[in-house]
Amino acid sequence: MDLTPLCSFPEDCNRLNRSSTRSDTNARRLKPDSGLRTKTVKRVLSIDGTFDYDLAVIGGGSGGLACAKEAVNHGARVAVLDYVTPSPQGTKWGLGGTCVNVGCIPKKLMHQAALLGESIHHLEAVSYGWQIPDLDSIKINWANLTESVQNHIKSVNWVTRVDLRDKKIEYINGLGEFKDPHTIVATLKNGSKKELTAKHVVLAVGGRPNYPDIPGAIEYCISSDDIFSLGHPPGKTLVVGAGYIGLECAGFLNSLGFPATVLVRSVPLRGFDQQMASMITNEMEQRGVNFEHKTIPLSIEKLESGKLKARWLNTQTQEQKEDVFDTVLMATGRYALTKALNLDVAGVKCLSETGKVIADTEQTNVAHIYAVGDVLEGRPELTPVAIHAGRLLARRIFADSPHQMDYENVATTVFTPLEYGCVGLSEEAAIQRFGTENIEVYHQFYKPTEFFIPQRNIRNCYLKAVAMRAAPQKVLGLHFVGPVAGEVIQGFAAAIKCGLTMEHLMNTVGIHPTVAEEFTRLNITKRSGKDPNPASCCS
Amino acid sequence: MAVEPTTTANADVEYVQIEGFDNFSKYCANLNSTGPPTYFYFSGKKDDNGHSWCPDCVQAEPVVKNVLNGIHKHVVFVFVDVGDREYWKNPQCPFRTDTRTKLMVIPTIIKWNGVQRLEGSQCNKAQLIEMMFEDE
């Protein structure tokens, strides 16, 4: 039976020399007529319009996996494509995306390693009575640290793969791109190609680190893609960039015993509350991290010794400076991986200048193509945001749910040695939106109980609440610098969702002794000019 | 030490039977990283009729054996009999506490020196057991 009049892609049937690997039981395709000798497997829209999959997710990270798993809960047949193009230094990793492999998880583990070192070296344990015979001999073994971290990551990769297989989600380890709005071609590691059609497609490809366009950057420098599995101790490190990735890396490297210098182009943690950002960097400086403000890198040169000579320019003084490092880590922003998708062919046109997808409700200009996670323009680049949005999206597509993602008041934490947790508006953003006269900021320095004995620096232990001035003083933002900031802020994110006011907060009884209780003790406003320094405990 | 390679339908898989923790320890001490991939299947002791006291193990074993019959590369598959119910239920049972195994449930299948691991009801799903033998 000659089906060519009904086939949408008759011209494709003549291309016989593509090799491809077969997907198995999930395929629904027309059998080619006897005139075609097919070694290739071609996906075609069958005549009644059904597809190989109800949903194809491109990107197996936080957003993509959450969306895929939620979709199967509602009966969808799902395929997930995931592929890691090796970093310039050759680093690659398994299924799970940035968070699991080269982001949140290894970062938090290294942060923890750093904190453990601090509890020994900043005279903490000793001051509490622990007898440590030879303090100086207690050093980090970088190989042991990275091995433990990588073992954990690999076990997460495994559990993720088992979960997908168990849920009968097809996992394709290939780089996906569009061939037409409903057809995706995945290029596997061995170069072979696999084609599939899907009724709905979710773009969850995330991003990768930017490298500045300067001599030596790509050849000699590493990024966050490489640091967590670096095959040798990083030594004296230059971190280019003072966003949260740069600061977190410089922070744990310094605490682990690897001297760190940070080049700051404009301001640290741009976009975050700047008063809090300066607390963070003050603390890091007091712990020995060197900051070069208002600088841009010019070149990285490899010396005969194997070390790297970095040259930079102070954009204010026009002065050039250089220094020699063992490692240079680029943390100069990330870019979305949309180019490789061949979105033009799919008809997707809603890209921003930086290549991110503009999709307010995660739906692109092509009705059946969506986007979730870091690839989205103007949304927080956070794992829980991607997961939540991915799940809600799957429910809207497959379960008629009306619920949209709420991107407001998403709490986050910067895991620098002294952590910064926040939820809601920065002071600057609140002032810009409502005007200074309509805002009240309550603030306080505080002393964690545990810091007294070892006499730890408390100068940067600070918190503030940004609220509407008029009663009941609805809380717009909460900001906290101190230990375990993430743990402190999480509960307050729920409170803000419930419409937290200063009246509520002030009527909440604190848990003592904690650092979180300081939020319930806030009573001094910036406007009053009163001294926000800590009085005595318990009063 | 009860190490009796048994011949089966599939000549590529080398089967080993081990009883108890001491024998398991001795066997591991002799493992070297250059040998074939080695897998351990921990299950409850069998009675004289070949029936384990652990119902999940009874359910999983034929599924595991069936998958193994389809494995066409040289691997070593070690059936480890962890002991009787009382021994296993004790929180201090060495199979639970030893860092090489850290068993929380039986049956458990682990790949030696690897992260691959299946526990409990995962062990009676053929498609998951197959994953244990896939290349990284």
Side-chain angles (χ1 to χ4, degrees):
Chain A
M1 174 175 156
D2 182 10
L3 295 165
T4 44
L6 299 165
C7 173
S8 309
F9 312 95
E11 66 277 13
D12 286 352
C13 290
N14 293 320
R15 287 197 231 130
L16 294 178
N17 17 350
R18 275 187 330 245
S19 67
S20 64
T21 52
R22 277 248 40 204
S23 156
D24 41 25
T25 54
N26 286 333
R28 272 204 247 153
R29 61 188 176 93
L30 291 178
K31 279 204 148 68
D33 71 31
S34 55
L36 297 168
R37 193 101 52 243
T38 43
K39 255 166 57 172
T40 62
V41 174
K42 188 177 152 345
R43 302 290 175 218
V44 291
L45 285 179
S46 67
I47 42 177
D48 65 4
T50 53
F51 305 86
D52 296 327
Y53 297 97
D54 299 305
L55 173 67
V57 178
I58 312 182
S62 304
L65 292 177
C67 187
K69 291 185 208 180
E70 182 68 21
V72 301
N73 284 347
H74 299 287
R77 203 171 60 257
V78 181
V80 168
L81 286 73
D82 189 69
Y83 191 79
V84 179
T85 304
S87 74
Q89 293 299 324
T91 311
K92 38 187 205 253
W93 49 88
L95 180 63
T98 296
C99 173
V100 165
N101 292 288
V102 288
C104 328
I105 301 297
K107 174 267 296 285
K108 190 79 190 293
L109 296 176
M110 293 216 165
H111 174 62
Q112 178 66 3
L115 292 178
L116 289 168
E118 285 182 8
S119 70
I120 297 169
H121 282 290
H122 291 196
L123 292 181
E124 284 217 40
V126 167
S127 67
Y128 274 93
W130 284 99
Q131 297 177 293
I132 299 181
D134 180 11
L135 204 55
D136 286 336
S137 70
I138 303 203
K139 295 192 195 306
I140 192 69
N141 180 316
W142 178 260
N144 288 356
L145 171 59
T146 49
E147 190 184 331
S148 301
V149 169
Q150 291 304 313
N151 276 345
H152 174 67
I153 291 172
K154 288 191 173 77
S155 70
V156 177
N157 298 142
W158 165 255
V159 167
T160 306
R161 276 176 39 221
V162 168
D163 200 20
L164 289 193
R165 184 77 63 98
D166 204 17
K167 294 182 156 72
K168 310 237 189 312
I169 296 172
E170 168 122 15
Y171 161 46
I172 299 165
N173 188 204
L175 190 64
E177 64 176 300
F178 282 94
K179 186 176 162 186
D180 66 55
H182 284 280
T183 307
I184 295 165
V185 178
T187 303
L188 279 55
K189 194 162 79 170
N190 58 12
S192 65
K193 302 211 191 253
K194 191 178 167 92
E195 242 182 63
L196 54 131
T197 57
K199 187 167 179 192
H200 304 275
V201 182
V202 171
L203 313 174
V205 295
R208 291 295 288 271
N210 270 325
Y211 277 74
D213 186 15
I214 59 169
I218 296 184
E219 299 93 302
Y220 306 125
C221 303
I222 65 168
S223 72
S224 57
D225 283 352
D226 313 292
I227 186 68
F228 302 111
S229 56
L230 199 62
H232 53 269
K236 179 178 167 194
T237 302
L238 177 68
V239 174
V240 182
Y244 76 86
I245 296 177
L247 293 187
E248 285 174 347
C249 288
F252 70 68
L253 287 174
N254 184 62
S255 298
L256 291 173
F258 305 112
T261 297
V262 179
L263 296 188
V264 185
R265 182 178 60 180
S266 59
V267 293
L269 294 178
R270 190 163 54 96
F272 284 82
D273 187 290
Q274 281 301 294
Q275 180 195 19
M276 307 310 283
S278 65
M279 299 268 169
I280 289 297
T281 53
N282 285 346
E283 180 71 21
M284 287 174 70
E285 258 175 325
Q286 283 151 19
R287 290 179 197 221
V289 176
N290 179 37
F291 283 86
E292 299 278 339
H293 291 278
K294 305 289 192 226
T295 54
I296 52 170
L298 293 175
S299 64
I300 312 291
E301 197 189 308
K302 191 155 191 176
L303 303 174
E304 256 187 54
S305 60
K307 291 189 196 269
L308 301 174
K309 184 160 84 172
R311 202 170 175 78
W312 60 86
L313 170 74
N314 185 311
T315 54
Q316 282 186 328
T317 65
Q318 296 304 312
E319 198 190 319
Q320 284 192 18
K321 242 172 122 174
E322 63 181 37
D323 197 357
V324 176
F325 300 90
D326 297 302
T327 302
V328 176
L329 191 156
M330 292 300 182
T332 50
R334 295 171 67 82
Y335 68 97
L337 291 172
T338 44
K339 205 159 159 208
L341 287 168
N342 203 11
L343 287 174
D344 281 341
V345 148
V348 175
K349 297 194 190 314
C350 52
L351 292 188
S352 71
E353 265 175 24
T354 55
K356 287 189 165 193
V357 178
I358 303 170
D360 269 350
T361 58
E362 294 88 39
Q363 187 177 37
T364 67
N365 61 295
V366 178
H368 71 276
I369 300 179
Y370 309 82
V372 92
D374 286 5
V375 80
L376 280 173
E377 172 69 31
R379 300 305 194 191
E381 291 178 27
L382 297 167
T383 279
V385 169
I387 290 176
H388 206 79
R391 281 197 194 127
L392 291 179
L393 175 64
R395 283 179 211 159
R396 291 200 303 278
I397 299 174
F398 295 108
D400 274 322
S401 165
H403 297 299
Q404 292 289 340
M405 174 69 183
D406 181 6
Y407 288 97
E408 296 282 297
N409 296 322
V410 170
T412 184
T413 294
V414 180
F415 292 98
T416 36
L418 196 63
E419 299 172 13
Y420 166 38
C422 62
V423 57
L425 299 178
S426 65
E427 192 174 331
E428 301 93 301
I431 289 175
Q432 191 173 54
R433 203 184 284 195
F434 300 104
T436 319
E437 355 40 90
N438 296 315
I439 297 294
E440 195 78 270
V441 180
Y442 289 84
H443 70 155
Q444 188 73 43
F445 284 90
Y446 66 92
K447 289 184 196 161
T449 304
E450 300 86 356
F451 281 32
F452 285 102
I453 289 178
Q455 295 181 300
R456 285 191 66 170
N457 181 23
I458 49 140
R459 273 159 53 199
N460 302 300
C461 291
Y462 176 83
L463 74 161
K464 69 182 177 184
V466 178
M468 296 301 296
R469 192 170 175 191
Q473 299 201 311
K474 179 170 171 180
V475 174
L476 303 167
L478 294 171
H479 301 264
F480 176 88
V481 170
V484 296
E487 309 295 355
V488 170
I489 286 288
Q490 179 66 89
F492 288 106
I496 287 202
K497 235 178 169 56
C498 298
L500 181 73
T501 65
M502 286 311 295
E503 282 181 21
H504 289 136
L505 203 48
M506 288 169 166
N507 279 313
T508 302
V509 178
I511 303 172
H512 187 69
T514 64
V515 293
E517 68 173 308
E518 298 296 333
F519 276 110
T520 66
R521 287 158 54 94
L522 282 171
N523 62 94
I524 293 176
T525 62
K526 283 196 177 180
R527 183 171 271 117
S528 71
K530 291 198 189 130
D531 180 10
N533 279 299
S536 57
C537 165
C538 314
S539 65
Chain B
M1 167 137 137
V3 177
E4 297 150 5
T6 51
T7 52
T8 67
N10 185 339
D12 292 346
V13 179
E14 202 183 304
Y15 290 93
V16 175
Q17 307 266 20
I18 288 182
E19 255 190 59
F21 187 78
D22 286 340
N23 287 328
F24 166 74
S25 269
K26 285 192 203 126
Y27 183 83
C28 292
N30 289 329
L31 279 177
N32 69 65
S33 51
T34 58
T38 302
Y39 298 82
F40 289 90
Y41 175 71
F42 299 93
S43 70
K45 189 184 176 74
K46 291 182 179 161
D47 60 23
D48 296 328
N49 295 324
H51 217 69
S52 170
W53 55 263
C54 158
D56 293 338
C57 304
V58 170
Q59 197 180 14
E61 196 162 309
V63 183
V64 172
K65 288 202 161 133
N66 209 32
V67 171
L68 288 171
N69 283 336
I71 300 296
H72 299 294
K73 40 186 175 178
H74 183 203
V75 303
V76 177
F77 199 87
V78 185
F79 286 87
V80 180
D81 165 356
V82 306
D84 62 35
R85 200 168 185 281
E86 289 311 304
Y87 179 77
W88 165 249
K89 289 293 185 187
N90 184 338
Q92 295 311 311
C93 173
F95 282 109
R96 291 180 187 269
T97 56
D98 191 281
T99 51
R100 292 166 297 185
T101 53
K102 276 273 179 222
L103 297 191
M104 289 179 287
V105 65
I106 49 171
T108 291
I109 308 176
I110 65 175
K111 181 176 181 182
W112 188 246
N113 275 346
V115 293
Q116 291 90 330
R117 187 183 185 100
L118 293 175
E119 291 177 334
S121 60
Q122 291 179 326
C123 299
N124 54 21
K125 296 183 180 175
Q127 74 272 28
L128 300 187
I129 303 168
E130 279 164 10
M131 284 182 71
M132 295 286 302
F133 300 98
E134 282 168 13
D135 291 324
E136 313 257 332

